[in-house]
Amino acid sequence: MKGMVFGEKVNYLEDGLGFLQALSENLGTEIEVVGAVVKSDDIDLSVLKGFTKLYVLNEGSTESYAKVLIDLYSRDKPDVIVGPQVKNGVEVMARVASELSIPMITEVYQLSKVNGDTLISRQIMGGRALALYQFKSPIVATIALKRFKPRLEGAQPVIEEINVPKVEMEVVEVQPKEKGAVDIEAAEIVVGVGRGFRSKEDLKLAFELAELLNGEVGCSRPIAADLQWLSEDRWIGISGKKIKGKLYLSIGISGAPQHIMAASDVKVIVAINKDKNAPIFTYADYGVVADLYQFVPVLIERLKAKLKK
Amino acid sequence: MDIGVLVKASLDVNMIRVDSEGRILLDAIPLAISEYDRNAITEAVRIRDETGGGKVVAFSVLTWGPASKRAKEIENVMREALALGADEAHAIVDDSIIPGDTISTAKVLAKLICKMGKFDLVLSGEASQDMMSSQLPVRLARELNYSVATFARKIELLDGKIRVTRDLEDYLQVVNISLPAVISVTGEINRPKLPTLLQIRRAFRKPYNSYTLSQLGVESIEIKLPYKEINLVTISRKNVILEGDKLEDIADQLIERLIEEGVIKV
């Protein structure tokens, strides 16, 4: 079997390779994998072992990347074409899938084998349910980040540079997003804040708690998108950041499905909310039904005593 | 400018129904308008009004059955689209493409849109609330032979072109594409208003039509990748509510538990 992985970044290629290796094990067939990555100043291709060939593309648009992949498809005839579950990855893969009239599975979450059938599942309905599909080639897929660990071994791949074609879509400008210099996706401990906070000023309670625990502060959608009290890189949600550390301590968050799903890989979830019927309690390991303005200061004080700070 | 807008009668993710054994009861989950579709309608209405004329036409395909039971529900969803400012609404209601897949849905939508006229622009939400595949706008663009851009946070009309600010994970990417185009929008592009009572009442006087595949001249359609099953995700959280007479006691219990779990160290 043949596989092709596309990604704008090296780590996206690793995720795709991990999936194809898992698929090959599941099916019990060898798989030969080629990769297509976008060239950047700090790119390090030496880590990418396990690919027979690497195509290195110069920077372009989603339309131009898709064109290259469609050309490569007719050359290499892969059975499975995968990309990363990021917005550009989804658009590029959907362009490839629609041009080739091949089915596509967005955000592949896990692989399983039931009665000899290889099943691919993805999360739907805000993470409340899994949809299962029977694997059948050819297929296009985007792979959830960091779900499939690759074995990066073997010889260095052959490298071929490709100039992306001129297309109609024209990239006019790239504006970096304002960053608070936090990476909550990499944080082991995250303190989440929601609508239960009455003002931006009051968030200092959460920041104090996070600092005490060596964690970062994250938030629900309204806090970043509607109220703009915190920058978007702190927004925990399907369209925001996904956290996967040891502890998520949510404060004053009711628990919309999109928020909860983005915290589903966290080891321990604690919820503090004054409404005992808030959905967040269903998704929490430990719940405290209390007014955050009364409870959080006490928690900070007791933690300080325990931590001798 | 005539603008099409895609609207999905999506499973209401806040109203999931299960049987006594925890199996999901898809047919019993009510349908609701998909969240980001409100943003798409609001944006279509803005562009229509700013370009001085034209109409906004809402399109949908019923993807959850049975059609006989769901026909009224999809009509209600389309009435909501009309109340939000669309001028007319058209939906395909036919058991033979339920549940379908993104390929079949895009194909029949393209048929419906072409039947209704020429559109300079077709807008959609960035993803449906239930299936969240984000593929449909791209597949529809291919069927219509339109250009496409996804995850738009801002749309500006230029002379003969359209400028789209795409909201990506780490940066905003501004692209120009040609018209006609299909564009998917994010929840940040605008803030949809709740329709007023008057708008809701007016929505019932606006045209809504439903079609079967044969009315669109489609004889049969292949479903290449239907889902095999949909299962509820079982949550294995401990769900322990910590209680005590004083907040100090509760705080101490919580700290103790977190130490036991090995997530904090003292």
Side-chain angles (χ1 to χ4, degrees), chain B residues 117-140:
Chain B
K118 282 219 170 302
F119 295 86
D120 306 292
L121 200 56
V122 176
L123 301 185
S124 80
E126 63 172 278
S128 63
Q129 211 164 2
D130 48 12
M131 296 306 277
M132 312 190 307
S133 86
S134 296
Q135 292 174 31
L136 200 77
V138 182
R139 291 204 185 262
L140 178 68

Short mmCIF file of all heavy atoms in Angstrom, two decimals, chain B residues 117-140:
data_model
loop_
_atom_site.label_atom_id
_atom_site.label_comp_id
_atom_site.label_asym_id
_atom_site.label_seq_id
_atom_site.Cartn_x
_atom_site.Cartn_y
_atom_site.Cartn_z
N GLY B 117 -30.95 29.70 -10.08
CA GLY B 117 -30.41 30.89 -10.73
C GLY B 117 -28.91 30.99 -10.63
O GLY B 117 -28.23 30.00 -10.34
N LYS B 118 -28.40 32.20 -10.86
CA LYS B 118 -26.96 32.43 -10.83
C LYS B 118 -26.63 33.22 -9.58
O LYS B 118 -27.25 34.24 -9.30
CB LYS B 118 -26.52 33.23 -12.06
CG LYS B 118 -26.43 32.41 -13.33
CD LYS B 118 -25.19 32.90 -14.12
CE LYS B 118 -24.84 32.01 -15.29
NZ LYS B 118 -24.58 30.63 -14.97
N PHE B 119 -25.66 32.73 -8.83
CA PHE B 119 -25.27 33.41 -7.60
C PHE B 119 -23.81 33.83 -7.69
O PHE B 119 -22.96 33.05 -8.13
CB PHE B 119 -25.50 32.49 -6.40
CG PHE B 119 -26.96 32.19 -6.19
CD1 PHE B 119 -27.58 31.14 -6.87
CD2 PHE B 119 -27.74 33.01 -5.38
CE1 PHE B 119 -28.93 30.89 -6.72
CE2 PHE B 119 -29.09 32.76 -5.22
CZ PHE B 119 -29.69 31.70 -5.90
N ASP B 120 -23.53 35.07 -7.26
CA ASP B 120 -22.14 35.54 -7.29
C ASP B 120 -21.36 34.95 -6.14
O ASP B 120 -20.15 34.78 -6.19
CB ASP B 120 -22.13 37.07 -7.16
CG ASP B 120 -23.01 37.71 -8.21
OD1 ASP B 120 -22.64 37.62 -9.39
OD2 ASP B 120 -24.08 38.26 -7.86
N LEU B 121 -22.10 34.66 -5.08
CA LEU B 121 -21.45 34.26 -3.85
C LEU B 121 -22.33 33.24 -3.14
O LEU B 121 -23.56 33.38 -3.13
CB LEU B 121 -21.33 35.53 -2.98
CG LEU B 121 -20.33 35.58 -1.85
CD1 LEU B 121 -18.93 35.28 -2.36
CD2 LEU B 121 -20.37 36.97 -1.22
N VAL B 122 -21.70 32.20 -2.57
CA VAL B 122 -22.43 31.27 -1.71
C VAL B 122 -21.66 31.21 -0.40
O VAL B 122 -20.46 30.93 -0.38
CB VAL B 122 -22.53 29.86 -2.34
CG1 VAL B 122 -23.21 28.90 -1.37
CG2 VAL B 122 -23.30 29.90 -3.66
N LEU B 123 -22.35 31.50 0.70
CA LEU B 123 -21.69 31.48 2.01
C LEU B 123 -22.16 30.28 2.83
O LEU B 123 -23.26 29.78 2.64
CB LEU B 123 -22.00 32.77 2.79
CG LEU B 123 -21.60 34.09 2.15
CD1 LEU B 123 -21.88 35.24 3.11
CD2 LEU B 123 -20.13 34.09 1.77
N SER B 124 -21.29 29.84 3.73
CA SER B 124 -21.68 28.77 4.65
C SER B 124 -20.97 29.00 5.97
O SER B 124 -20.07 29.82 6.07
CB SER B 124 -21.28 27.40 4.09
OG SER B 124 -19.91 27.17 4.34
N GLY B 125 -21.37 28.25 7.01
CA GLY B 125 -20.65 28.28 8.27
C GLY B 125 -19.36 27.47 8.13
O GLY B 125 -19.21 26.67 7.22
N GLU B 126 -18.40 27.68 9.03
CA GLU B 126 -17.11 26.99 8.93
C GLU B 126 -17.23 25.47 9.12
O GLU B 126 -16.40 24.71 8.63
CB GLU B 126 -16.10 27.54 9.94
CG GLU B 126 -16.48 27.34 11.40
CD GLU B 126 -15.36 27.74 12.35
OE1 GLU B 126 -14.46 26.93 12.57
OE2 GLU B 126 -15.39 28.87 12.87
N ALA B 127 -18.25 25.05 9.86
CA ALA B 127 -18.49 23.62 10.07
C ALA B 127 -19.91 23.48 10.57
O ALA B 127 -20.45 24.40 11.17
CB ALA B 127 -17.53 23.06 11.11
N SER B 128 -20.53 22.32 10.33
CA SER B 128 -21.85 22.10 10.90
C SER B 128 -21.66 21.70 12.36
O SER B 128 -20.60 21.20 12.75
CB SER B 128 -22.57 20.99 10.14
OG SER B 128 -21.86 19.78 10.26
N GLN B 129 -22.69 21.92 13.14
CA GLN B 129 -22.57 21.66 14.56
C GLN B 129 -22.55 20.17 14.89
O GLN B 129 -21.97 19.76 15.88
CB GLN B 129 -23.76 22.31 15.26
CG GLN B 129 -23.41 22.76 16.64
CD GLN B 129 -24.44 23.71 17.18
OE1 GLN B 129 -25.44 24.02 16.55
NE2 GLN B 129 -24.19 24.18 18.38
N ASP B 130 -23.18 19.36 14.04
CA ASP B 130 -23.23 17.93 14.35
C ASP B 130 -22.06 17.16 13.75
O ASP B 130 -21.29 16.54 14.46
CB ASP B 130 -24.59 17.33 13.94
CG ASP B 130 -25.02 17.71 12.53
OD1 ASP B 130 -24.20 18.23 11.76
OD2 ASP B 130 -26.20 17.45 12.19
N MET B 131 -21.86 17.22 12.44
CA MET B 131 -20.83 16.39 11.83
C MET B 131 -19.47 17.08 11.71
O MET B 131 -18.45 16.42 11.57
CB MET B 131 -21.29 15.87 10.47
CG MET B 131 -22.49 14.94 10.56
SD MET B 131 -22.26 13.54 11.71
CE MET B 131 -21.38 12.39 10.64
N MET B 132 -19.43 18.37 11.71
CA MET B 132 -18.19 19.15 11.80
C MET B 132 -17.11 18.73 10.79
O MET B 132 -15.94 18.73 11.12
CB MET B 132 -17.60 19.01 13.22
CG MET B 132 -18.60 19.24 14.34
SD MET B 132 -17.89 19.38 15.99
CE MET B 132 -16.89 17.94 16.13
N SER B 133 -17.49 18.41 9.56
CA SER B 133 -16.45 17.94 8.64
C SER B 133 -15.74 19.08 7.90
O SER B 133 -14.64 18.91 7.42
CB SER B 133 -17.03 16.95 7.62
OG SER B 133 -17.56 17.66 6.52
N SER B 134 -16.38 20.24 7.80
CA SER B 134 -15.80 21.41 7.11
C SER B 134 -15.46 21.15 5.64
O SER B 134 -14.69 21.89 5.05
CB SER B 134 -14.55 21.92 7.83
OG SER B 134 -14.87 22.38 9.11
N GLN B 135 -16.00 20.10 5.06
CA GLN B 135 -15.66 19.79 3.66
C GLN B 135 -16.63 20.40 2.66
O GLN B 135 -16.28 20.63 1.51
CB GLN B 135 -15.73 18.27 3.44
CG GLN B 135 -14.69 17.48 4.14
CD GLN B 135 -14.96 15.98 3.96
OE1 GLN B 135 -15.49 15.53 2.95
NE2 GLN B 135 -14.58 15.21 4.95
N LEU B 136 -17.87 20.58 3.10
CA LEU B 136 -18.92 20.87 2.13
C LEU B 136 -18.68 22.10 1.24
O LEU B 136 -18.86 22.02 0.04
CB LEU B 136 -20.28 20.96 2.83
CG LEU B 136 -21.36 20.76 1.78
CD1 LEU B 136 -21.51 19.31 1.40
CD2 LEU B 136 -22.64 21.37 2.22
N PRO B 137 -18.25 23.25 1.82
CA PRO B 137 -18.04 24.41 0.95
C PRO B 137 -17.04 24.14 -0.18
O PRO B 137 -17.25 24.58 -1.32
CB PRO B 137 -17.52 25.49 1.90
CG PRO B 137 -17.48 24.91 3.26
CD PRO B 137 -18.06 23.55 3.23
N VAL B 138 -15.99 23.40 0.14
CA VAL B 138 -14.96 23.11 -0.87
C VAL B 138 -15.53 22.17 -1.94
O VAL B 138 -15.35 22.37 -3.14
CB VAL B 138 -13.70 22.50 -0.22
CG1 VAL B 138 -12.63 22.25 -1.27
CG2 VAL B 138 -13.17 23.41 0.88
N ARG B 139 -16.25 21.15 -1.50
CA ARG B 139 -16.82 20.20 -2.46
C ARG B 139 -17.89 20.87 -3.33
O ARG B 139 -17.97 20.62 -4.53
CB ARG B 139 -17.43 19.01 -1.72
CG ARG B 139 -16.39 18.11 -1.05
CD ARG B 139 -16.96 16.72 -0.88
NE ARG B 139 -16.09 15.83 -0.16
CZ ARG B 139 -15.26 14.95 -0.74
NH1 ARG B 139 -15.17 14.88 -2.06
NH2 ARG B 139 -14.53 14.14 0.00
N LEU B 140 -18.68 21.75 -2.71
CA LEU B 140 -19.71 22.45 -3.48
C LEU B 140 -19.07 23.36 -4.54
O LEU B 140 -19.53 23.43 -5.68
CB LEU B 140 -20.59 23.28 -2.53
CG LEU B 140 -21.67 24.10 -3.23
CD1 LEU B 140 -22.73 23.20 -3.85
CD2 LEU B 140 -22.32 25.08 -2.27
#
